[in-house]
Amino acid sequence: MTENVTGNPSERGRDLAAALAADGVAGLTIAWADNNGIPRSRTVPVSALPQVATSGVGVTHLFAVFDTNDAIAFGSPGMQNASGDVRLVPQLDRVTRLAGQPAFAWAPGKQVAADGGPWAFDQRSVLERVVDRLAAEDYTALVGYEMEFGVYEPETDPEDSELLPAHHGPAYSPHALLPIDGFVASVMRDAEANGLRLGQIHAEYGPAQVELSLAATDPLTAADQQLLARQTILAAAEAHGLRVSFAPLPTLNGAGNGWHVHTSLWRHGDNLLAGGPEGPRGTAGAGYVAGLLRDLPALAAVTAPSQGSLARLRPGFFAGAFSGFWGVENREAPLRYVPGSALLGEDHANVELKTSDASANPFLALAAILTSGVAGIEENLVPPAPTAEDPGTWKKKQRAAAGIEKLPATQAEQEEALRGNPRVAGVLGEELLEAFLAVRRADATWAAQKDTEEVLAAWRWKY
């Protein structure tokens, strides 16, 4: 349960330390996501909270250029050598005792400069700035995640890379979850205890695949909860002797794990995306869709940035492999408009970005998505008519005539799309952009020497 605390940081830390210690909690894990989407952390004794709440805990600045293999991509501005330190400060209003790890509490962290001032490479601050800009224009947003992941039996041989599914389907069947019902029950109970509101959990389409949806909330909370949900799921899996992979594509034979982002934009209490089977009713909602559609190649470089992401973006897998089109309830579209209805109400309307996965830093991804959507409104953009078909079944000439193209398929193509887009690149800022791209290039260089299956196996348990 998240603690609501007031007072200055030291007093709040002292009160929290006493409350957590009384509940048998030994340590607070302070977590953040790096530029690969990988959670990193520091754990401190709860007795240290009064000091840590004020001054944080030291971490190397080089986490900004850790690649997916934990190598350091030196060379980008501010990241030329190992000299430097920043402070990781827990967000005390998000401290949560972990139901699945009762000796520990959890909190998201914010990275600040050594003097306590802003640090250009802190991803959480990027989203905070975007949310503040939206608020200045009377916009608010709701964000919900659908998180797909694979559940597997542990390997009998540590050298064996073969995956052993913990359930064998059928897809979407209650029968599929019977072999892992203890794990599923723990996830549901622990999620509720950890303050996560679940929409549903079910066996997904792919072998061993499960999907969990988080209820929509404000953007910062959504990003924090996405990280907390990972910790919750992994702890439950550990308790039940299972392994979980959040990787975009654990193996070439799998369906791939999308972490679909549902967003809606609101102003003065009205959902600007409200509409029906034809799409958003107003020009603002249409502009939001058009803004996302215009920036999709650059957005994908942030929301699906890894080598595993590129392998996942295949036509016919509900992955959103093409740009240039959107659809109403079209699951092959990269942007799926979910309309309101008489049953759910018009305010249920939202846009789902399918080109998104666990290798995206959630703070950067949401900052980019919201910026692109709002830019479409401000520039009065108009989207093309929605597409109900799967362009992956069309001939190349037919797609070209409709302005539909495959999304960037290599790291170099993604970098070109990102650098060429002033809105998405501008969200990150020059220093963070260069660090982000340095990491992407390091991953691509490493992967170039290996076949795709070897790369996927190496990154299977990273996220």
Side-chain angles (χ1 to χ4, degrees):
M1 179 177 178
T2 301
E3 300 284 349
N4 292 316
V5 288
T6 58
N8 69 50
S10 181
E11 291 175 351
R12 293 161 68 186
R14 186 162 48 251
D15 291 344
L16 273 170
L20 292 171
D23 283 341
V25 175
L28 173 70
T29 296
I30 311 167
W32 77 99
D34 72 5
N35 285 325
N36 313 288
I38 296 173
R40 309 286 184 176
S41 70
R42 289 286 192 269
T43 298
V44 299
V46 293
S47 60
L49 259 178
Q51 178 182 347
V52 171
T54 301
S55 57
V57 59
V59 297
T60 174
H61 68 300
L62 292 173
F63 276 117
V65 286
F66 267 47
D67 68 14
T68 303
N69 298 305
D70 294 341
I72 300 171
F74 289 106
S76 62
M79 299 291 159
Q80 287 88 353
N81 56 56
S83 299
D85 201 51
V86 295
R87 308 299 294 180
L88 178 68
V89 181
Q91 303 303 287
L92 297 187
D93 58 336
R94 301 289 167 92
V95 171
T96 302
R97 181 180 176 183
L98 296 172
Q101 299 171 261
F104 294 92
W106 178 97
K110 182 175 179 177
Q111 298 164 86
V112 300
D115 63 1
W119 192 53
F121 301 89
D122 177 57
Q123 299 91 347
R124 196 175 201 276
S125 296
V126 173
L127 182 55
E128 288 178 345
R129 289 194 295 269
V130 169
V131 169
D132 288 344
R133 285 201 300 269
L134 296 186
E137 299 296 329
D138 294 326
Y139 291 116
T140 58
L142 289 177
V143 177
Y145 271 96
E146 293 178 6
M147 302 168 62
E148 295 174 341
F149 52 92
V151 185
Y152 305 98
E153 300 288 352
E155 305 97 330
T156 53
D157 180 356
E159 300 299 319
D160 188 358
S161 63
E162 182 182 359
L163 289 173
L164 303 174
H167 81 73
H168 296 273
Y172 309 108
S173 170
H175 304 165
L177 296 184
L178 287 174
I180 57 171
D181 68 346
F183 161 71
V184 172
S186 291
V187 168
M188 297 184 75
R189 292 191 184 108
D190 292 351
E192 183 174 1
N194 290 348
L196 300 172
R197 291 189 300 127
L198 302 188
Q200 58 181 341
I201 186 168
H202 61 267
E204 249 293 340
Y205 184 79
Q209 197 174 41
V210 171
E211 180 180 286
L212 173 152
S213 64
L214 296 174
T217 185
D218 70 272
L220 275 166
T221 301
D224 287 341
Q225 289 189 345
Q226 192 237 64
L227 295 179
L228 179 56
R230 300 193 210 191
Q231 189 76 16
T232 302
I233 294 165
L234 289 171
E238 181 73 19
H240 290 273
L242 299 169
R243 297 200 77 178
V244 164
S245 176
F246 299 132
L249 192 61
T251 175
L252 279 172
N253 295 325
N257 296 318
W259 283 17
H260 306 154
V261 185
H262 291 256
T263 60
S264 59
L265 193 71
W266 298 66
R267 201 173 200 183
H268 306 308
D270 294 325
N271 183 355
L272 301 181
L273 288 165
E278 297 77 28
R281 183 175 58 250
T283 57
Y288 186 84
V289 172
L292 294 176
L293 194 60
R294 174 180 62 176
D295 290 346
L296 192 59
L299 282 175
V302 178
T303 64
S306 67
Q307 296 297 301
S309 305
L310 296 171
R312 171 183 167 263
L313 295 180
R314 302 169 289 179
F317 283 82
F318 294 180
F322 293 96
S323 65
F325 83 105
W326 65 288
V328 178
E329 296 288 22
N330 183 349
R331 285 174 168 79
E332 274 296 335
L335 296 174
R336 169 184 166 235
Y337 177 71
V338 182
S341 68
L343 179 63
L344 297 173
E346 284 196 341
D347 285 345
H348 176 76
N350 63 84
V351 175
E352 175 192 40
L353 175 65
K354 301 188 80 68
T355 313
S356 171
D357 60 54
S359 67
N361 179 288
F363 301 95
L364 298 183
L366 295 185
I369 290 167
L370 295 171
T371 296
S372 292
V374 171
I377 296 174
E378 293 175 342
E379 297 178 40
N380 298 310
L381 298 186
V382 178
T387 298
E389 300 175 49
D390 174 10
T393 64
W394 298 358
K395 294 188 180 301
K396 190 173 182 179
K397 284 186 177 180
Q398 186 180 0
R399 287 198 297 268
I404 297 173
E405 300 177 345
K406 283 190 175 180
L407 283 165
T410 67
Q411 182 277 324
E413 290 176 0
Q414 283 197 327
E415 179 168 342
E416 182 181 8
L418 182 51
R419 284 194 184 278
N421 188 296
R423 289 166 298 281
V424 181
V427 169
L428 274 65
E430 184 176 352
E431 293 171 295
L432 178 52
L433 174 66
E434 293 305 324
F436 182 86
L437 291 175
V439 167
R440 301 277 71 74
R441 288 192 294 270
D443 278 357
T445 299
W446 175 84
Q449 312 303 317
K450 300 168 177 60
D451 63 45
T452 302
E453 195 65 75
E454 187 178 358
V455 174
L456 299 180
W459 294 354
R460 188 173 288 154
W461 315 111
K462 292 282 188 177
Y463 306 100

